[in-house]
Amino acid sequence: MFRAVRSASAMAKAMPRMNVAAQQQKRFLSIHEYLSMELLQKQGIKTPRGGVAKTGAEAYEVAQKLGTEDMVIKAQVLAGGRGKGTFDSGLKGGVRTIFSPREAQMFAEQMLGHKLVTKQTGAGGKICNSVYICERQYVRREYYFAVLMDRKSQGPVMVASSQGGVDIESVAAENPDAILQLPIDINKGVDRAAVRDLAERMGFTPKCVDQATDTMINLYDLFMQKDATMVEINPMAESADHEVICMDAKINFDDNAEFRQKEVHALRDVTQEDPREVAAAKYNLNYIGLDGSIGCLVNGAGLAMSTMDIIKLHGGEPANFLDVGGGATAEQVTEAFKIISSDPRVTTIFTNIFGGIMSCRVIAQGIIAAASTLQLQIPLVVRLQGTEVDEAKKLIAESGLRIITSDDLDDAASKSVKLSKMVSMARDAKINVSFELPI
């Protein structure tokens, strides 16, 4: 499955992706599979029967109620590659076939409360707090279907393939012609004849073409009604008795629509997210965790990007993107420092503020409060320019804190990188070096 909303045209060209699992900002809500299946069912779309469990005993009950010996248990973790993942409990595979309620309970107990490591989670894995148990379907054919937002057509596009149940991006890379596209005019809506033609080109048998058409139109309606950025079904299947079934579902939603999709956004599972990003969102801070060692606190996305660039120019690596915005308070600045300093990889904090709407004095107050309360033991480099900069410098000078200041961006970045390397070298040598900010 796609890890993020991708342009359909880009997918068809199979453009290589950067390995940014730990760096990718998520501007959309992603929900668990069982919740996506419930939304499909409410839309009148056929799915396998199933239920969610959060304990071994609940898993036993769900399996017993299904009344079949052919079932599948799936770890509910927001990452692709679950089937090939490994739990820290030692269990291999986050998707397993089971044949009895007892097996459901056994596998649930090995999954629940444990972290699943997949190709998309990184080495830390993601915690599994629930499992989805559903009936196992024996199908004739499997297809791929999704509704995405496409930059090229500047609107929704249906993306489909006769090759479902596999990694669709591998299909796109190896055989781009296997990827079918149908752009939708958002003002005119779906053209049923065009969707029916798509179903025929996908390879649905004549008995299933109309049902497949209805299913795809219902999925598009769900996409529009819920302000989704992606609805992906992999696989969409044709059963032995010629029924169209959505075997799996992944749905992402536009965060900007939260104000009118409160019911959907209440389904958010913060345990699947970077806790630093969750904390940042609480204080209206724009934060993205990266892999470097220099923590950045900046106002304005453009300046933040430039700050990261100049850090890299001097041979350093930024630990984060953090934009406090133009109207930050001293409290928000303090919380930003808490988030940055909670990353054990951070060896220096670089604060770069250009005060326009944002007052340098407010930033200075936040810096002083954070340095005083957090007992920072790593270097803190501060570069301030703009509104009330003189007042800010005076506050810092009178604070009694050992803060390294510079008016020049290049000089401040250079100092940040050098100090970061000093701390890193000391840590590598297992020498306890601390930079105590209170003098």
Side-chain angles (χ1 to χ4, degrees), residues 120-333:
Q120 291 186 9
T121 64
K126 286 190 176 183
I127 192 73
C128 175
N129 293 318
S130 59
V131 293
Y132 182 53
I133 302 163
C134 62
E135 60 181 348
R136 186 181 181 190
Q137 295 277 353
Y138 294 90
V139 298
R140 299 178 70 243
R141 293 194 65 180
E142 294 182 336
Y143 308 88
Y144 175 88
F145 179 81
V147 185
L148 311 170
M149 293 301 295
D150 181 42
R151 292 187 182 93
K152 184 177 180 180
S153 62
Q154 299 184 10
V157 61
M158 290 183 177
V159 180
S161 176
S162 61
Q163 300 180 40
V166 296
D167 179 5
I168 194 62
E169 293 191 345
S170 296
V171 174
E174 296 167 6
N175 183 14
D177 292 337
I179 306 298
L180 307 174
Q181 299 177 44
L182 176 62
I184 306 296
D185 186 325
I186 201 167
N187 296 310
K188 295 180 180 178
V190 176
D191 180 344
R192 182 178 178 83
V195 177
R196 194 177 195 282
D197 176 68
L198 179 64
E200 290 175 343
R201 288 190 290 146
M202 287 171 68
F204 280 100
T205 59
K207 291 183 179 179
C208 284
V209 167
D210 286 333
Q211 189 182 158
T213 302
D214 291 337
T215 299
M216 289 190 280
I217 290 174
N218 284 339
L219 288 168
Y220 175 79
D221 290 341
L222 175 66
F223 177 88
M224 295 298 296
Q225 293 167 12
K226 299 298 184 182
D227 288 302
T229 54
M230 179 180 74
V231 174
E232 183 181 57
I233 310 299
N234 191 20
M236 178 183 287
E238 182 178 332
S239 69
D241 53 356
H242 302 288
E243 283 193 310
V244 176
I245 306 172
C246 292
M247 304 290 288
D248 196 357
K250 180 176 177 61
I251 308 178
N252 296 331
F253 305 89
D254 189 345
D255 281 349
N256 293 317
E258 182 176 0
F259 71 98
R260 65 185 179 201
Q261 299 290 350
K262 295 188 182 299
E263 185 177 342
V264 167
H265 284 263
L267 304 176
R268 180 184 181 192
D269 183 358
V270 296
T271 67
Q272 301 293 299
E273 302 175 27
D274 185 331
R276 296 169 300 176
E277 294 185 13
V278 174
K282 181 180 178 182
Y283 289 94
N284 294 317
L285 300 169
N286 297 313
Y287 176 92
I288 309 170
L290 303 175
D291 292 332
S293 60
I294 300 175
C296 302
L297 189 153
V298 190
N299 69 317
L303 185 59
M305 296 296 288
S306 300
T307 302
M308 292 191 291
D309 284 344
I310 199 167
I311 286 172
K312 291 180 72 69
L313 184 66
H314 283 281
E317 290 292 338
N320 64 273
F321 169 103
L322 196 155
D323 170 18
V324 297
T329 64
E331 180 188 16
Q332 285 176 299
V333 175

Side-chain angles (χ1 to χ4, degrees), residues 367-376 399 401 437-438:
I367 292 171
I368 293 167
S372 301
T373 59
L374 298 180
Q375 297 182 337
L376 295 176
S399 68
L401 300 177
L437 294 179

